[in-house]
Amino acid sequence: MLIVTVLSLITANSAIGADYIEIWNYEIAGYSLVHWINDGLMAIFFLMIGLELEREIYIGELKDVKSAVLPIFGAVGGMLIPAFFFIIFNFGTSTQSGTGIPMATDIAFAIGILSLLGKKVPPSLKVFLVALAVIDDLGAILIIAFFYSKSVSVTYLALSLSVFIIMLVLNRLKVHNLIPYIIGGIIMWYFMHNSGVHATITGVLLAIAIPFDDGGEKSPSYILQHYLHKPVAFLILPVFAIANTCIPLTITWYSSLTHNYTIGIITGLFLGKPLGILIFSFISVKLGFCKLPQDLKWNNIIGVGFLAGIGFTMSIFITLLAFDNSVFINNSKIAILFASLISGITGYFWLKNSLKYEYK
């Protein structure tokens, strides 16, 4: 995704930049190609997130409520404080709708950078980041569903939820064949797309409807997650990155980082994320709700907080829902890329230094 993002930026600012950007605006069945990617392909990405959430809740890091309390508090802080930073700069303005942008974490990039540190990373730190990112994804889904839906068509929403209920009934009847669920998911997506609620929520609802059973290799949930993993990682997310980072830059591109909304995004991701995660995690421990694992230090939590400031995929996605103005959208994307870059670099070196002294 990092490679295709750089290539997309280079191409958009080359001699063929105008033609390249126009490709993504090409209309198919009344909608642009980028619209089909953001509303269609990303529904599959959200299906994957839904399946992963379900697994973590039933048999993963969130199964034990006591162990999940620390990352739950951290994730809540990692959403609320970045939102507060954004609101400081944008309250009462036309860009206030972008409050959700710095609340998101890109789980793939954050965990990917942590993995670069190899065996120096204590197991509990990996668990903390995974659980934190999973809860953060759930928060992003709820934010999109409740705050970034347009005027709702009750008829289409009712039809969509009716299909969802039918699939839940199939689940209860122990229908394990995936075909009825996939067909139902497509129908539900069509109704949801026309309802005003963002169509990608269909992916999460479909994940809930698909039988989980014991979560073993023969369960429908596991089978579908296994089949989706590579297409999502190596096709859908890179295509999303390419289509949404073809941003034309001027010589003074850095001036786009001085607007209230871009400052809100940068401070929210780079400062709000680590502060929110640290403060809320610290409060949860001091109030006796949970304990800090023995192999972790608060210094490590700060480092993970910086990694959580890598917004990228989810932040860009929320940007597309928050703003209609193309200038706001492009400037916000630049801010997200900048904030994610400095957050990732800071988090990597922070953890590299702290882990070197604590676990050498």
Side-chain angles (χ1 to χ4, degrees):
M1 286 180 65
L2 184 60
I3 292 171
V4 297
T5 296
V6 172
L7 289 175
S8 184
L9 284 169
I10 291 173
T11 306
N13 292 277
S14 68
I16 61 169
D19 293 329
Y20 171 68
I21 293 171
E22 190 58 33
I23 289 173
W24 302 108
N25 294 320
Y26 180 79
E27 288 197 358
I28 301 173
Y31 295 101
S32 66
L33 183 57
V34 72
H35 177 89
W36 284 109
I37 292 168
N38 294 339
D39 280 42
L41 287 183
M42 288 300 282
I44 301 175
F45 167 67
F46 275 78
L47 169 59
M48 182 75 178
I49 287 180
L51 293 171
E52 290 177 345
L53 278 170
E54 191 176 42
R55 176 163 293 274
E56 292 298 328
I57 290 170
Y58 284 125
I59 61 174
E61 309 300 345
L62 303 179
K63 180 183 178 181
D64 182 0
V65 176
K66 191 173 182 180
S67 300
V69 169
L70 183 64
I72 287 174
F73 268 82
V76 171
M79 289 185 281
L80 292 181
I81 302 302
F84 175 72
F85 269 76
F86 188 91
I87 284 293
I88 289 175
F89 295 98
N90 296 273
F91 182 75
T93 69
S94 60
T95 54
Q96 183 177 313
S97 58
T99 302
I101 297 172
M103 296 173 72
T105 293
D106 191 301
I107 184 171
F109 271 119
I111 294 174
I113 291 178
L114 185 67
S115 68
L116 294 177
L117 295 167
K119 295 181 180 178
K120 291 191 294 183
V121 180
S124 57
L125 189 62
K126 293 179 182 178
V127 170
F128 178 78
L129 179 56
V130 170
L132 179 86
V134 167
I135 298 162
D136 193 284
D137 279 342
L138 177 59
I141 290 166
L142 294 174
I143 290 167
I144 291 168
F146 290 108
F147 298 105
Y148 290 108
S149 295
K150 301 175 182 177
S151 55
V152 176
S153 166
V154 176
T155 302
Y156 277 111
L157 181 60
L159 288 169
S160 181
L161 294 178
S162 296
V163 177
F164 175 58
I165 291 171
I166 291 171
M167 288 192 291
L168 289 179
V169 172
L170 292 177
N171 184 318
R172 296 295 295 175
L173 293 174
K174 300 190 181 301
V175 176
H176 284 192
N177 190 317
L178 281 170
I179 293 177
Y181 296 99
I182 293 172
I183 293 174
I186 294 171
I187 297 171
M188 183 168 59
W189 179 90
Y190 173 79
F191 290 141
M192 192 70 77
H193 183 262
N194 288 282
S195 73
V197 177
H198 202 271
T200 51
I201 299 301
T202 305
V204 181
L205 295 178
L206 179 57
I208 294 171
I210 291 172
F212 184 80
D213 294 344
D214 61 354
E217 294 185 4
K218 293 184 179 180
S219 71
S221 178
Y222 177 90
I223 292 171
L224 185 57
Q225 184 178 342
H226 176 73
Y227 279 118
L228 288 179
H229 183 73
K230 289 183 179 178
V232 167
F234 297 108
L235 176 63
I236 292 175
L237 288 180
V239 167
F240 173 83
I242 292 171
N244 289 284
T245 55
C246 48
I247 309 166
L249 301 174
T250 63
I251 296 176
T252 58
W253 64 270
Y254 49 84
S255 64
S256 65
L257 303 179
T258 61
H259 301 293
N260 283 358
Y261 59 98
T262 51
I263 293 173
I265 292 170
I266 294 169
T267 56
L269 287 173
F270 183 62
L271 298 177
K273 276 289 184 181
L275 274 176
I277 291 169
L278 175 65
I279 292 171
F280 274 62
S281 297
F282 185 78
I283 289 173
S284 68
V285 171
K286 288 302 178 182
L287 291 178
F289 295 137
C290 57
K291 293 182 179 178
L292 187 69
Q294 291 183 347
D295 57 349
L296 289 190
K297 306 293 182 184
W298 289 114
N299 215 13
N300 307 144
I301 301 297
I302 296 173
V304 163
F306 278 116
L307 292 186
I310 304 173
F312 203 77
T313 305
M314 292 301 288
S315 289
I316 290 176
F317 189 80
I318 293 175
T319 296
L320 300 172
L321 303 179
F323 300 135
D324 294 322
N325 187 304
S326 61
V327 175
F328 287 177
I329 291 173
N330 282 343
N331 288 343
S332 295
K333 288 177 181 178
I334 295 171
I336 291 166
L337 293 176
F338 179 75
S340 296
L341 178 63
I342 60 175
S343 293
I345 292 173
T346 303
Y348 173 78
F349 283 106
W350 185 291
L351 287 171
K352 185 177 181 180
N353 288 327
S354 67
L355 293 175
K356 177 173 65 177
Y357 291 112
E358 291 168 16
Y359 301 103
K360 65 180 179 179

